[in-house]
Amino acid sequence: GDSVTQMEGPVTLSEEAFLTINCTYTATGYPSLFWYVQYPGEGLQLLLKATKADDKGSNKGFEATYRKETTSFHLEKGSVQVSDSAVYFCALMPGGGADGLTFGKGTHLIIQP
Amino acid sequence: EAGVAQSPRYKIIEKRQSVAFWCNPISGHATLYWYQQILGQGPKLLIQFQNNGVVDDSQLPKDRFSAERLKGVDSTLKIQPAKLEDSAVYLCASSLSGGSTDTQYFGPGTRLTVL
């Protein structure tokens, strides 16, 4: 079945550091790929998405590129802030739309001032 | 625009008791999902509705879990009887049409503790 693997956390960085959170997937067909974020005390919210190969999703300074050849969707940000501290989830939706989202286990990001 | 509403936010019960969760999706959203999120893991789909019909319930433990979406709007998820391993956050999400490119919008979740 479909699966998503993302790097284990917690990931601790200093403010203004460069961030990469790795995400790889296994799926048949052509899934859509998503990054969701969960800030402390809040619900899951969409950060960015890409729906076909080579698409780049971006939002709030974060970027991720849908790489079909490496089955990856790594999340990057050039300069992180303390307010980026949260849990980040990589997820996929199968091409047919049914079955809902398949999530990775989440990566807890901690940004220190 | 109002988001996805869920209640209650927290629930503590003894094992073998029953419990029900309620979800009101974003107005106009045809597709509704229930996910279970165990501590330290990503959410796992339990059931997906399209309007008032079930699209996928392959991961729903049907011996104890049930869900309905009468009239294609609100939904309830019930557990009867609860087990210790059911302790988790239960998330409701909705999307416009359920397509693979649609964004799912999540509610705040119900945190269930089974003692």
Side-chain angles (χ1 to χ4, degrees):
Chain A
D2 296 346
S3 66
V4 174
T5 303
Q6 59 183 109
M7 60 194 293
E8 298 279 330
V11 173
T12 304
L13 296 172
S14 297
E15 205 166 21
E16 299 183 4
F18 184 85
L19 168 71
T20 300
I21 300 178
N22 290 335
C23 171
T24 57
Y25 67 90
T26 302
T28 54
Y30 303 93
S32 294
L33 302 174
F34 303 80
W35 277 101
Y36 277 82
V37 60
Q38 191 166 36
Y39 297 104
E42 298 185 18
L44 273 171
Q45 53 187 276
L46 179 69
L47 180 59
L48 54 83
K49 70 179 183 182
T51 59
K52 60 183 187 294
D54 300 324
D55 267 3
K56 177 185 286 188
S58 61
N59 186 25
K60 299 182 180 180
F62 290 88
E63 294 183 339
T65 301
Y66 188 161
R67 301 286 189 200
K68 190 164 179 63
E69 64 274 13
T70 54
T71 62
S72 65
F73 193 54
H74 305 321
L75 183 68
E76 296 182 335
K77 186 174 185 182
S79 176
V80 292
Q81 306 300 311
V82 172
S83 57
D84 294 326
S85 298
V87 181
Y88 292 80
F89 292 92
C90 185
L92 70 81
M93 170 76 94
D99 301 338
L101 287 164
T102 296
F103 284 87
K105 290 186 176 182
T107 302
H108 186 193
L109 176 65
I110 300 168
I111 307 300
Q112 296 178 334
Chain B
E1 179 182 85
V4 176
Q6 290 188 247
S7 68
R9 293 294 309 277
Y10 304 92
K11 191 73 177 178
I12 301 174
I13 61 172
E14 303 268 336
K15 61 182 178 183
R16 291 188 290 274
Q17 287 186 324
S18 62
V19 64
F21 313 127
W22 173 82
C23 172
N24 181 239
I26 293 173
S27 178
H29 280 196
T31 311
L32 185 147
Y33 309 82
W34 283 101
Y35 290 86
Q36 179 193 57
Q37 185 177 16
I38 293 173
L39 187 64
Q41 298 183 21
K44 183 187 82 170
L45 180 71
L46 293 175
I47 189 167
Q48 177 182 347
F49 292 93
Q50 186 73 14
N51 297 308
N52 60 353
V54 175
V55 173
D56 179 17
D57 63 356
S58 58
Q59 299 191 81
L60 187 73
K62 299 182 189 63
D63 57 334
R64 297 183 301 106
F65 286 64
S66 64
E68 60 183 9
R69 190 183 184 198
L70 299 176
K71 302 180 182 178
V73 181
D74 293 5
S75 177
T76 56
L77 176 70
K78 297 179 181 177
I79 308 175
Q80 181 180 7
K83 292 185 175 182
L84 296 176
E85 59 260 35
D86 299 331
S87 293
V89 176
Y90 291 84
L91 298 167
C92 180
S94 69
S95 69
L96 198 58
S97 63
S100 62
T101 61
D102 272 7
T103 295
Q104 291 185 28
Y105 296 87
F106 284 80
T110 297
R111 182 177 298 275
L112 173 68
T113 302
V114 182
L115 303 176

